Each structure stands twice: as structure tokens, then as C-alpha cells.
Amino acid sequence: MNRNPWSQILLLLLLFPISLALNAQALSAPPAVSATSARWSLAIHGGAGTIPTNIPEAEKEQYLVSLRAALEAGKAILAGGGTSLDAVETVVRTLEDDPLFNACKGAVFTHDGTHELDAAIMDGRDLSCGSVAALTTVRNPISLARLVMEKSPHVFMVGTGAERFADEMRVPRVDPKYFDTPRRYEQWQAALKAETPEKAEQEKKDKDTVGAVALDVHGNLAAATSTGGMTNKRFGRLGDVPVIGAGTYANNRTCAISATGWGERFIRHTVAHDISALMEYKGMTLQQAADEVIHRKLEKGDGGVIGVGRDGSIALVFNSEGMYRGAADSSGRFEVAIW
Ligand code: ASP
């Protein structure tokens, strides 16, 4: 064995810079969500707006049952190690099929008595995203949005072109009558008749949307949103939902956001991306950033957002009377609420 002290000193001197470099690299690497952590989080919404607190107990219970079922569907995927993308798509499909909510079955009527559906999905890993808008026959727009993201070179497809893409992808289409419900028909009729200044106010209220955001155990965030838009909306009107950065956004560096409310205002304020930007550039927490945008930038009654942060935190923030919502995570949280 070489016992020469000079050769040992020389060896230490040679190794010192290497160990310094390794330490520096460890310090400068961004704190990543551990790939082995079993932590997951999920938040869902079924729209925000003027929800009278005195709705009949049975009706309230129906909403809560539906929200719980959607939350369970997403929880099962995340708790089983599935991806956030699968979880948010599944939650949104569940709510799209539920006639209580304004997305697909149960969608609001346009001014012309039709339904025009918008949806978007985003993958926080690489900012890939897919949006569809002004669909009239696609049964589950959120799944078509995912196919736009994964199987097309594009980000946004609308109207008849998007429906041709649905056929290519063998996505089920339905007779538009499938989306009709008596409640939404009455809201449309009331909006048509109300030729008063209150009319605009009423149109703002008859809307809602469904959405989900999630963090999976692999550390990846995703967001998905789907809507029929606003009652009595004019031909070709698009809201914030399919506009990436307004109603839907996900970025593994910050958070995943899904919005609901008066779409025109959410587009002007690029609400979902603004929350992410406040976290990224100002170091705010998810809750602080969502409070800032919803309570200080928007106006009272505009709506709200659900968000999940890269650390698993959940924010459910709204400036309207209520927001149908739910939250679940790996620590055992499981709750739904309206007001
Ligand atoms: N944001 C949707 C839209 O403007 C409606 C809603 O969320 O209530 O289309």
C-alpha cells in the first residue's frame, strides 16, 4: 500500500474541485417534486356564480353527490399511481356526462337555440396543450382536446374542422339534441324575453363550466376545463375555457389552474397564466397568487379558479356567491362544497 503522505495530499487536492462542483450543482438545481413521493392532489369545479343559498335540500344534495362521484373517479386514478392527465380528463368527462352541469349534456343554449361547446387540456410537464371550440356534436370535447394535444401537430381546432378531426380519431359524435335539458331551455327562453338592462346581468349568471386540476405521484401537473359557455351567447362566441392561459393552464414549475366565470373578463386578465406568473416571478404561494388575481384584479361576481401547486397545495378561490367544488389529496382530504 502506498503510505507516502505527499501522494495522499496530492490526491485530496485533485478531488477537492470535483466535490465542490458537485455540491454547487446540488445547490443550484431547482427543488423538484420527488419522483418517488407518493403525494398527489386533486381539485375540481362545476362552475361559479349566483347560486341561491336557499335551493331545496334535495337539489343541493344532487350537486354534492355528483361532485363526490367525480372526485372519487379522479382520486382512484391518482391514488393508484395514474397520471394527472388521465385524472383530469376522467373527472371532466364524468361532469360532462352529468346533466346538472353546463358542459355537454346539460349545456346552455346559444342565442340561436343551439349548443356550442369549448374545452381545453394542458400537460404541465412540457406545456403541451390541446383546445377545441364551437363544437356542436362531439359527446366529450375534453377527450377530443386531448387528442388535439397528443395526435395532431396543432394546439387549437374549432368548429367543423375540429369535428372532422373527431371523425378521423373515431371520437363519438351525437345528435345535438342529446345536449338539451329542460332547465337550460327555460333559462334561454327567459334570456330571450328579457329585453331589459337586466338581460346582460342575467346572461352573466346563466353559465357555469366544469374543470379539474391535479398533481400526480410522479410530480406532474395537469389541468382540464369544459363548458357550454354562456346562455344566449351570440354566433361564434368563444369564452376563456379553450384559451390557454385564460381559463386553463398547467406548468410543472408552478401550478395547474382551471377557471370558471365571465369568460370575457378572464380572457382580458389572462387569469390562469397570471396566477402561474405571480408564483414564478414574484415567489408567491398558490393561494396568494390566486387571491391576488381573483380578489384584486377581477371584479366581485366574476367567478373563480381551482388550482393545485407543484408542492401539492390546493386553492379554491372565488369572488362570486358560490362555486361548486371539491378537493382531495393523499393526506386523506376529501371534501365537496358549494358556498
Ligand atoms: N367561463 C365560461 C365562459 O365564459 C363560463 C363559466 O365558467 O361559467 O364560457
Side-chain angles (χ1 to χ4, degrees), residues 45 47-49 102 118 204-210 225-230 233 237-242 247 259-267 302-304:
H45 73 77
N102 171 25
D118 308 336
K204 269 195 287 168
K205 288 172 190 158
D206 293 338
K207 42 185 176 48
D208 293 338
T209 282
V210 304
T225 320
S226 181
T227 191
M230 297 171 88
K233 66 184 179 182
R237 179 264 187 191
L238 297 183
D240 58 316
V241 167
T260 171
W262 189 4
E264 281 72 5
R265 295 190 54 79
F266 279 70
I267 292 174
D302 281 350

Side-chain angles (χ1 to χ4, degrees), residues 85-97 103-104 117-122 129-132 135 138-152 157 162 165-167 169-173 210 223-227:
L85 268 182
D86 285 343
V88 295
E89 182 190 359
T90 299
V91 168
V92 168
R93 277 184 73 106
T94 307
L95 294 168
E96 282 180 339
D97 291 341
C104 307
L117 314 171
D118 308 336
I121 194 163
M122 187 157 184
C129 46
S131 292
V132 287
L135 304 178
V138 174
R139 184 186 162 129
N140 288 106
I142 197 63
S143 295
L144 187 62
R146 184 161 178 182
L147 289 166
V148 169
M149 174 172 77
E150 292 178 343
K151 303 271 190 259
S152 89
M157 295 176 90
F165 180 64
D167 288 344
M169 293 288 120
R170 301 186 192 287
V171 166
R173 296 214 269 150
V210 304
T225 320
S226 181
T227 191

Side-chain angles (χ1 to χ4, degrees), residues 93-115:
R93 277 184 73 106
T94 307
L95 294 168
E96 282 180 339
D97 291 341
D98 190 325
L100 285 182
F101 301 99
N102 171 25
C104 307
K105 182 82 190 155
V108 297
F109 284 76
T110 65
H111 184 68
D112 296 333
T114 60
H115 304 281

Side-chain angles (χ1 to χ4, degrees), residues 2-336:
N2 183 359
R3 298 218 176 257
N4 181 347
W6 288 111
S7 65
Q8 287 184 7
I9 289 167
L10 193 66
L11 187 68
L12 277 176
L13 284 174
L14 277 173
L15 288 176
F16 187 61
I18 297 173
S19 107
L20 264 187
L22 285 175
N23 276 334
Q25 198 192 15
L27 286 174
S28 64
V33 178
S34 161
T36 54
S37 115
R39 186 165 196 181
W40 58 265
S41 299
L42 171 67
I44 71 171
H45 73 77
T50 311
I51 308 166
T53 44
N54 60 354
I55 59 171
E57 212 39 47
E59 196 181 316
K60 179 180 146 193
E61 200 41 42
Q62 276 183 329
Y63 276 103
L64 295 177
V65 165
S66 288
L67 288 170
R68 273 188 216 110
L71 198 59
E72 275 294 353
K75 175 187 165 175
I77 292 171
L78 294 168
T83 67
S84 51
L85 268 182
D86 285 343
V88 295
E89 182 190 359
T90 299
V91 168
V92 168
R93 277 184 73 106
T94 307
L95 294 168
E96 282 180 339
D97 291 341
D98 190 325
L100 285 182
F101 301 99
N102 171 25
C104 307
K105 182 82 190 155
V108 297
F109 284 76
T110 65
H111 184 68
D112 296 333
T114 60
H115 304 281
E116 290 184 2
L117 314 171
D118 308 336
I121 194 163
M122 187 157 184
D123 184 345
R125 276 179 303 188
D126 56 1
L127 306 183
S128 58
C129 46
S131 292
V132 287
L135 304 178
T136 57
T137 60
V138 174
R139 184 186 162 129
N140 288 106
I142 197 63
S143 295
L144 187 62
R146 184 161 178 182
L147 289 166
V148 169
M149 174 172 77
E150 292 178 343
K151 303 271 190 259
S152 89
H154 307 303
V155 161
F156 208 153
M157 295 176 90
V158 302
T160 49
E163 294 191 333
R164 271 175 63 185
F165 180 64
D167 288 344
E168 273 178 26
M169 293 288 120
R170 301 186 192 287
V171 166
R173 296 214 269 150
V174 289
D175 185 307
K177 289 222 166 311
Y178 163 78
F179 304 117
D180 290 0
T181 50
R183 182 168 69 112
R184 299 300 184 188
Y185 182 81
E186 279 161 28
Q187 285 177 347
W188 170 54
Q189 288 298 304
L192 284 180
K193 281 182 202 123
E195 295 299 340
T196 63
E198 289 84 52
K199 180 178 168 182
E201 277 306 304
Q202 189 53 42
E203 286 176 13
K204 269 195 287 168
K205 288 172 190 158
D206 293 338
K207 42 185 176 48
D208 293 338
T209 282
V210 304
V213 288
L215 171 75
D216 62 32
V217 296
H218 315 288
N220 294 319
L221 289 162
T225 320
S226 181
T227 191
M230 297 171 88
T231 296
N232 204 23
K233 66 184 179 182
R234 301 307 190 272
F235 29 79
R237 179 264 187 191
L238 297 183
D240 58 316
V241 167
V243 179
I244 296 298
T248 308
Y249 190 71
N251 184 339
N252 271 12
R253 296 172 68 85
T254 53
C255 62
I257 299 288
S258 171
T260 171
W262 189 4
E264 281 72 5
R265 295 190 54 79
F266 279 70
I267 292 174
R268 288 182 194 128
H269 290 274
T270 53
V271 164
H273 182 263
D274 205 29
I275 293 170
S276 168
L278 287 171
M279 293 175 73
E280 187 167 2
Y281 305 135
K282 275 200 155 182
M284 286 189 183
T285 64
L286 171 65
Q287 186 69 45
Q288 288 168 340
D291 281 340
E292 175 70 24
V293 176
I294 298 300
H295 295 304
R296 282 181 276 284
K297 294 198 173 177
L298 295 182
E299 281 170 26
K300 198 159 172 42
D302 281 350
V305 293
I306 53 168
V308 165
R310 68 195 293 262
D311 59 356
S313 55
I314 292 176
L316 310 160
V317 182
F318 52 99
N319 62 24
S320 47
E321 272 169 46
M323 179 168 78
Y324 300 102
R325 62 197 184 279
D329 68 21
S330 46
S331 73
R333 180 176 181 184
F334 189 94
E335 62 199 35
V336 293

